[in-house]
Amino acid sequence: MMSGDRRKRTLALGTRSAVHFLCLLPLAVLLVQGGIGDLGANPIEALIRGLGDWALRFLVVALAVTPVRRLAGWPGLASYRRMVGLWAFAYAGLHVSAYVVLDQYFDWTNIGGEILKHKFITAGMLALTLLMPLAATSTRGMIRRLGGVRWRRLHRLVYLAGPLAAVHYVWMVKADIRQPLVYLAIVAGLLACRVALWLHSRSHIRQ
């Protein structure tokens, strides 16, 4: 018979594997759609946008982990925040890579001009830049090297990356911006919830 600790470890491993599978699934779907020619009249644009959409979605999920964990009293959710955040960075990296390779053909001069010319690209590149140190320091070894306090301070950059990614989406869309505005509202709401939780914890410390 499996011991209690071993059962918990097995359940945790299975849950983490399921989360990884679910995060990988959108990429697999996009690749299959691309392979069978089911990405519409402009498959490159569809692929780039699809990867960007999922990067933003996973970033929103990562931002939601702490408020849900605190409000619902599920401390175990904390271990999944880094995992989902890394997937958000992976999709953001693939989003930019597809733009560089498939749309711009490594034309770095033109890419630099596009970043300076279009504010939505500027916002997106800033968001990706902020996510880079977070992804690089998401291992347990880096957490130990930085120390818990410094690591948490560094990872507050996600509270800048999230709004920048949402603004990137709003500015990118030229016609119906209702969906981008929904994402922006969700990100703003999650940040407001995070601030409220922080103020609540500070008030308890003072008491």
Side-chain angles (χ1 to χ4, degrees), residues 2 4 13 35 56 80 112 118 122 130 138 140 147 157 164-165 186-187:
M2 189 180 296
L13 179 61
L56 180 56
Y80 298 101
H118 300 290
T122 306
L130 290 173
S138 285
R140 292 181 180 179
L157 289 175
L164 279 170
I186 292 172
V187 170

Side-chain angles (χ1 to χ4, degrees), residues 89 92-93 96 115 121-136 154 157-158 160-161 164:
F89 174 76
V96 174
I115 293 172
I121 299 180
T122 306
M125 288 298 184
L126 284 173
L128 180 65
T129 301
L130 290 173
L131 290 175
M132 285 179 178
L134 309 190
L154 174 64
L157 289 175
V158 72
L160 294 176
L164 279 170

Side-chain angles (χ1 to χ4, degrees), residues 17-190:
S17 299
V19 171
H20 280 304
F21 173 78
L22 291 173
C23 291
L24 183 61
L25 191 58
L27 176 60
V29 171
L30 284 171
L31 293 177
V32 169
Q33 287 178 321
I36 64 176
D38 194 30
L39 284 177
N42 193 337
I44 291 176
E45 181 180 353
L47 177 62
I48 293 171
R49 289 202 174 190
L51 291 168
D53 288 346
W54 281 104
L56 180 56
R57 287 165 188 159
F58 285 128
L59 189 55
V60 167
V61 172
L63 287 171
V65 167
T66 295
V68 171
R69 174 178 63 85
R70 296 278 297 277
L71 293 172
W74 295 340
L77 282 179
S79 62
Y80 298 101
R81 183 184 178 187
R82 281 188 293 133
M83 184 191 309
V84 177
L86 283 170
W87 275 108
F89 174 76
Y91 275 90
L94 289 171
H95 170 63
V96 174
S97 297
Y99 167 73
V100 170
V101 177
L102 301 177
D103 186 71
Q104 295 294 314
Y105 301 102
F106 296 102
D107 187 345
W108 299 109
T109 301
N110 190 59
I111 291 169
E114 291 287 294
I115 293 172
L116 295 175
K117 180 181 177 181
H118 300 290
K119 60 183 181 180
F120 77 91
I121 299 180
T122 306
M125 288 298 184
L126 284 173
L128 180 65
T129 301
L130 290 173
L131 290 175
M132 285 179 178
L134 309 190
T137 58
S138 285
T139 63
R140 292 181 180 179
M142 288 302 300
I143 295 173
R144 287 194 297 269
R145 291 190 190 99
L146 289 172
V149 174
R150 284 192 296 174
W151 186 85
R152 284 190 293 271
R153 286 175 180 169
L154 174 64
H155 279 248
R156 287 173 187 162
L157 289 175
V158 72
Y159 300 124
L160 294 176
L164 279 170
V167 167
H168 163 71
Y169 190 17
V170 172
W171 284 345
M172 180 189 69
V173 176
K174 297 178 176 64
D176 187 353
I177 65 169
R178 286 177 294 180
Q179 182 170 303
L181 287 177
V182 168
Y183 278 101
L184 183 60
I186 292 172
V187 170
L190 289 172

